Amino acid sequence: MYKNCITDVPGIKVGQASDAKGLTGCTVILCEDGAVCGVEVRGSAPGTRETDLLKPQMLVDRVHGVILAGGSAFGLAAADGMMHYLEEKGIGFDVGVTKVPIVTGAVLFDLYVGDHTIRPNFEMGYKACVDASTQKIKEGNWGAGTGATVGKILGHGQCMKGGIGSASVILDNGVIVGAVVAVNAFGDIRDWETGKIIAGPRDADSGEIIDTCTYMKGRIGTALSFGREHTTIGAVATNAKLSKAEAQKLSQMAMNGLIKVISPSGTTLDGDTVFALSRGHQICDINILGIMAAEAMAIAVNRAVKAAKTVANIPSYSDYFSRG
């Protein structure tokens, strides 16, 4: 039975670790048998690991895991725990004396939400791997989405809660594309079907959600004063067989899902990054896979925001729309 989750793709396991005091965490995507991987970095302020290795011309053709984490650049330390876990299991690129796991990933900025001195670290990355499974993941305030927020044009005090979400799109012939995403956007979040804003910056007086793009167009010349504590990071996976170049293209097309539901996305204030994993032997046109990836990503973004819970006086979708 399908779970409407990235773990619908065979061979993909997901684990998450969170810290309730720090309000941060990490999400690991394990592909222990290896997966062809591509990446698209659309935002101008990314925090990433091993993304150069994913270029089609580079030697290593498979990765063993992707990590998504909070903590800004500090959170990259969680990948060390993932590396240790995989090495313990004898998984990695054989260099003779040992096997070196190939772990790529990206981080988002959540240091303003909880205790900024607590960040995803070795122990958190390792624990997430130990807990990884093929079950449906927990959404909202979990893993890399624990401290995620959205709609920050008016500053941290007027934003709303983001989170982590997952979804999958499946064709009748068994081709699957799944997505997982930690939504920590500068922009507002739109419903993927109607385009209606479901989370975003709240006016200080009325409490109403405002349109970020409209607000920005009315304030020419002030862009450099906007906050820079953003970034939406995620991954898609498929059971279709892809080359590294095709995986890179799939990651680019998956970004179309973010464009559909995050307004604006990929700004100079974000570090938006999406990975694409291929592990399987199904045959499918890359353009069809790209359509599926964009849809799965858009749905996952919506699920992340709708599953989020209010923390640290940052209202969630459910609490905001149930008020008065």
Side-chain angles (χ1 to χ4, degrees):
M1 180 179 294
Y2 293 120
K3 304 177 286 286
N4 195 19
C5 182
I6 194 172
T7 53
D8 283 325
V9 177
I12 295 293
K13 297 197 297 185
V14 177
Q16 303 196 90
S18 306
D19 188 288
K21 180 181 178 182
L23 289 176
T24 191
C26 65
T27 300
V28 300
I29 304 141
L30 293 177
C31 33
E32 296 174 351
D33 294 334
V36 176
C37 187
V39 66
E40 173 73 354
V41 180
R42 190 71 57 88
S44 296
T48 57
R49 172 193 169 98
E50 293 278 38
T51 50
D52 277 351
L53 196 64
L54 306 182
K55 294 176 181 178
Q57 71 270 25
M58 297 303 182
L59 173 64
V60 176
D61 62 352
R62 288 181 176 267
V63 304
H64 305 100
V66 176
I67 188 162
L68 310 175
S72 189
F74 297 110
L76 291 170
D80 293 338
M82 193 174 184
M83 290 279 290
H84 186 69
Y85 172 85
L86 290 168
E87 185 185 24
E88 279 185 336
K89 298 191 69 175
I91 294 169
F93 185 77
D94 195 339
V95 295
V97 293
T98 188
K99 291 183 178 179
V100 180
I102 307 300
V103 173
T104 187
V107 293
L108 55 79
F109 189 103
D110 57 6
L111 301 179
Y112 287 164
V113 180
D115 183 341
H116 75 276
T117 66
I118 299 174
R119 303 100 178 215
N121 55 16
F122 179 102
E123 290 75 18
M124 197 177 290
Y126 187 88
K127 181 180 186 302
C129 291
V130 170
D131 293 343
S133 76
T134 59
Q135 300 301 307
K136 184 177 178 64
I137 74 166
K138 293 180 178 180
E139 297 176 305
N141 301 16
W142 295 92
T146 303
T149 52
V150 301
K152 287 167 275 192
I153 187 69
L154 300 179
H156 180 72
Q158 304 304 125
C159 68
M160 288 181 65
K161 189 69 181 70
I164 195 155
S166 188
S168 63
V169 176
I170 302 170
L171 300 183
D172 291 341
N173 66 353
V175 172
I176 305 168
V177 178
V180 62
V181 61
V183 187
N184 188 62
F186 169 71
D188 46 65
I189 309 302
R190 309 295 181 109
D191 182 273
W192 81 280
E193 292 180 304
T194 67
K196 180 181 178 181
I197 299 177
I198 61 173
R202 297 165 294 119
D203 183 88
D205 296 322
S206 68
E208 297 301 311
I209 298 176
I210 69 169
D211 183 314
T212 300
C213 288
T214 299
Y215 182 90
M216 290 180 73
K217 287 186 290 186
R219 284 154 181 82
I220 298 173
T222 62
L224 293 179
S225 68
F226 298 143
R228 304 182 184 187
E229 61 274 9
H230 321 295
T231 293
T232 294
I233 52 178
V236 296
T238 181
N239 63 345
K241 185 176 181 179
L242 300 176
S243 66
K244 283 183 75 174
E246 289 171 328
Q248 183 180 46
K249 185 62 180 178
L250 185 62
S251 68
Q252 293 170 354
M253 297 178 80
M255 276 283 187
N256 294 336
L258 298 187
I259 294 169
K260 184 176 180 64
V261 293
I262 301 176
S263 178
S265 66
T267 71
T268 61
L269 310 171
D270 292 285
D272 296 352
T273 302
V274 171
F275 300 88
L277 297 164
S278 165
R279 48 159 298 106
H281 299 283
Q282 290 275 4
I283 302 300
C284 186
D285 182 88
I286 185 65
N287 297 292
I288 297 172
L289 292 172
I291 292 169
M292 296 168 69
E295 182 177 331
M297 186 61 75
I299 295 171
V301 169
N302 278 190
R303 290 176 63 91
V305 169
K306 291 182 177 180
K309 304 299 181 185
T310 298
V311 294
N313 296 317
I314 302 169
S316 65
Y317 164 88
S318 58
D319 284 342
Y320 180 87
F321 285 100
S322 66
R323 63 194 178 116

